[in-house]
């Protein structure tokens, strides 16, 4: 009975947190899908549109580490609630914007709201998920990002037909973000807050047992060090660059460069996140079953590199959909659970939120750079092709960086094991 209750607790948290990712990514890709309409509405250049997309992630990047520190101090669930409140306000301010500057400021405010989510939800998962279900559980939550990306592409294109035009998707997403706060309050636990309550049954709860297991999984109190974190963060940056190149520019590229008119420019990109959602879950549970996660990246990263670089060569909608499906089966959302699990399991428990936020800062930097760099290169070079080739190469470099990080981790564990043996011998 207790085992069943424990299972229901972590499964409910996983489902709700996946819905959070759905809302976050729908908010991001709704802008991508409406980018051409926004450009036409205010007469904006590709360079400015890229800057508009990147501005969202400036505040997101800058607030990653502060939000992780605040989560360690005040609680992860509280920070998630605050974040979604800020996101709801930012989305609705964007609807009221009367010029591009006001809309840009509203997007920056919305990005600030999203900054709390990654580290906070990962910290909650690391304390509540059973160790043998960690990669699978993280993959399920990450799958919400894939579904959200698809939802955002479609909302941005098809809700624009209503009276508010391209602003309508942001009205819907703002209201849903506000409603999600009550879902978090009802279904997501705050395990660290419970841990502070002394003399109560919480000290023997399933959450506390999971927390102790996470502490043991984290290894030494100091962790494997900054070299390991830097290598995995660099891999995170490189793979996120290609992902956000496509999330922010793919609908615009298909419509203006490849000549796919109407809803087709939004429907074809949907193939990628829809494939990503089940692929992420399948890869995650395969990693848990094999009790080894590295093999996922050795397969996924080279295939994702090939699929990304092949996009400019695809001449028909069917071939474009095929390479996007291939990327969806092996791309960023498949890669993320492996990197995140490696970080969360080897970070000191008392600073896990801060460590995860530091790790995600690298991805946030890619989110800032990729949209602007792509827009500027397209404006200067008159072509988007070089951006796809570069993103493909980045995936291969990410594999090298990941392999180096795992070598650093192995050396750290061997060193800790040697110290432990010496301590036992001394006793």
């Amino acid at each position: 009975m207790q085992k069943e209750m424990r299972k229901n607790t972590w499964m409910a948290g996983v489902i709700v947190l996946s819905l959070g990712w759905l809302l976050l990514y729908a908010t991001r890709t709704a802008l991508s899908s409406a980018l051409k309409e926004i450009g036409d509405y205010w007469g904006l250049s590709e360079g400015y549109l890229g800057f508009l997309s990147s501005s969202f992630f400036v505040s997101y990047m800058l607030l990653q580490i502060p939000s992780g520190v605040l989560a360690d101090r005040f609680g992860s669930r509280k920070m998630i609630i605050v974040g979604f409140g800020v996101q709801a306000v930012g989305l609705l301010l964007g609807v009221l914007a009367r010029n591009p500057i006001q809309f840009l400021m509203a997007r920056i405010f919305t990005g600030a709201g999203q900054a709390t989510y990654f580290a906070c939800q990962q910290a909650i998962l690391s304390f509540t998920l059973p160790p043998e279900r960690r990669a699978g559980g993280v993959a399920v939550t990450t799958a919400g990002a894939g579904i959200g990306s698809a939802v955002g592409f479609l909302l941005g294109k098809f809700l624009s037909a209503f009276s508010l035009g391209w602003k309508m998707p942001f009205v819907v997403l703002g209201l849903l973000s506000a409603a999600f706060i009550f879902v978090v309050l009802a279904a997501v636990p705050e395990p660290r807050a419970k841990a502070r309550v002394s003399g109560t049954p919480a000290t023997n709860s399933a959450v506390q047992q999971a927390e102790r297991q996470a502490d043991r999984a984290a290894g030494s109190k100091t962790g494997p060090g900054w070299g390991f974190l830097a290598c995995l963060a660099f891999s995170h940056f490189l793979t996120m660059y290609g992902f956000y190149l496509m999330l922010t520019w793919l609908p615009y590229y298909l419509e203006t460069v490849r000549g796919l008119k109407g809803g087709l420019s939004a429907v074809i990109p949907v193939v990628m996140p829809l494939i990503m959602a089940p692929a992420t879950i399948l890869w995650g549970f395969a990693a848990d079953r094999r009790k080894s996660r590295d093999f996922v990246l050795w397969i996924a990263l080279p295939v994702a590199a090939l699929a990304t670089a092949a996009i400019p060569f695809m001449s028909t909608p069917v071939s474009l959909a095929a390479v996007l499906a291939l990327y969806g089966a092996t791309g960023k959302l498949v890669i993320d659970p492996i990197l995140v699990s490696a970080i969360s399991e080897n970070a000191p428990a008392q600073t896990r939120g801060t460590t995860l936020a530091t790790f995600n800062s690298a991805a946030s930097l890619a989110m800032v750079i990729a949209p602007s760099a792509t827009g500027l290169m397209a404006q200067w070079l008159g072509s988007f092709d070089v951006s796809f080739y570069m993103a493909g190469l980045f995936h291969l470099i990410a594999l090298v960086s990941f392999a180096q990080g795992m070598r650093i981790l192995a050396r750290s564990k061997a060193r800790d094991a040697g110290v432990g043996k010496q301590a036992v011998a001394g006793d």
Side-chain angles (χ1 to χ4, degrees):
M1 185 69 172
Q2 186 179 13
K3 183 177 180 181
E4 186 66 27
M5 289 177 62
R6 184 161 63 245
K7 181 180 179 182
N8 291 339
T9 298
W10 71 257
M11 286 184 67
V14 163
I15 292 169
V16 172
L17 291 173
S18 70
L19 292 176
W21 278 123
L22 188 154
L23 282 173
L24 263 62
Y25 270 77
T27 297
R28 299 173 189 183
T29 56
L31 176 68
S32 306
S33 195
L35 210 55
K36 187 176 186 303
E37 285 78 7
I38 293 172
D40 293 342
Y41 186 78
W42 277 314
L44 305 176
S45 68
E46 289 175 342
Y48 191 91
L49 289 174
F51 179 66
L52 183 63
S53 298
S54 290
S55 67
F56 177 88
F57 298 107
V58 171
S59 56
Y60 181 87
M61 177 187 66
L62 294 176
L63 292 175
Q64 283 298 301
I65 295 176
S67 66
V69 173
L70 290 172
D72 285 334
R73 180 163 184 173
F74 298 109
S76 296
R77 187 177 73 158
K78 293 184 182 69
M79 293 304 298
I80 287 176
I81 290 169
V82 170
F84 269 93
V86 172
Q87 172 170 298
V89 172
L91 285 165
L92 296 176
L93 285 175
V95 173
L96 300 175
R98 295 186 176 181
N99 57 59
I101 300 299
Q102 290 180 359
F103 187 72
L104 183 146
M105 297 304 296
R107 292 300 292 178
I108 292 174
F109 196 74
T110 307
Q114 292 203 4
T116 67
Y117 197 70
F118 175 84
C120 293
Q121 66 94 31
Q122 293 294 349
I124 290 172
L125 288 175
S126 69
F127 283 109
T128 56
L129 280 176
E132 70 277 8
R133 293 286 181 262
R134 190 156 291 135
V138 172
V140 171
T141 62
T142 306
I147 298 171
S149 299
V151 169
F153 280 137
L154 296 175
L155 287 179
K157 183 60 66 177
F158 295 109
L159 283 185
S160 298
F162 287 83
S163 57
L164 289 177
W166 60 264
K167 294 184 178 183
M168 190 65 193
F170 302 108
V171 174
V172 173
L173 290 167
L175 296 176
L176 290 175
S177 296
F180 185 69
I181 292 172
F182 299 98
V183 179
V184 173
L185 285 170
V188 176
E190 183 74 273
R192 300 193 69 179
K194 293 177 181 177
R196 296 189 189 100
V197 181
S198 60
T200 69
T203 56
N204 295 318
S205 69
V207 168
Q208 295 306 307
Q209 293 175 30
E211 183 173 337
R212 287 194 294 273
Q213 289 174 325
D215 291 344
R216 287 195 294 271
S220 68
K221 291 184 178 180
T222 57
W226 287 104
F228 167 73
L229 177 60
C231 286
L232 266 66
F234 188 49
S235 296
H236 203 26
F237 169 87
L238 293 170
T239 53
M240 188 64 81
Y241 186 99
F243 186 47
Y244 269 85
L245 156 64
M246 287 191 272
L247 278 193
T248 54
W249 281 106
L250 201 53
Y252 183 94
Y253 169 76
L254 294 178
E255 187 167 357
T256 61
V257 178
R258 306 304 293 269
L260 301 180
K261 300 300 182 184
L264 196 59
S265 64
V267 170
I268 289 179
V270 166
V271 172
M272 175 184 70
L274 286 183
I275 294 292
M276 272 185 175
T280 299
I281 296 171
L282 290 174
W283 281 111
F285 281 107
D288 279 336
R289 182 175 291 274
R290 287 191 54 161
K291 302 187 185 304
S292 172
R293 297 162 190 160
D294 297 7
F295 84 98
V296 175
L297 297 194
W298 285 100
I299 297 171
L301 281 169
V303 176
L306 177 63
T308 304
I311 288 173
F313 296 100
M314 300 298 107
S315 57
T316 67
V318 173
S319 60
L320 278 166
V323 294
L324 289 175
L326 186 61
Y327 177 82
T330 56
K332 182 58 186 169
L333 297 188
V334 169
I335 296 162
D336 267 359
I338 310 305
L339 297 177
V340 170
S341 294
I343 291 291
S344 62
E345 290 178 358
N346 294 284
Q350 65 274 18
T351 59
R352 192 166 290 136
T354 304
T355 301
L356 286 164
T358 303
F359 168 72
N360 201 47
S361 294
S364 306
L365 184 61
M367 297 175 192
V368 173
I369 294 174
S372 289
T374 303
L376 289 173
M377 283 192 288
Q379 189 170 322
W380 293 339
L381 302 176
S383 172
F384 283 88
D385 293 355
V386 67
S387 294
F388 290 106
Y389 304 149
M390 188 170 68
L393 177 61
F394 282 177
H395 282 79
L396 299 179
I397 300 173
L399 183 59
V400 175
S401 182
F402 172 76
Q404 178 60 25
M406 298 312 289
R407 281 195 288 269
I408 294 171
L409 177 62
R411 288 198 296 268
S412 173
K413 288 184 175 180
R415 184 174 61 249
D416 288 344
V419 171
K421 288 179 181 178
Q422 290 177 5
V424 170
D427 291 341

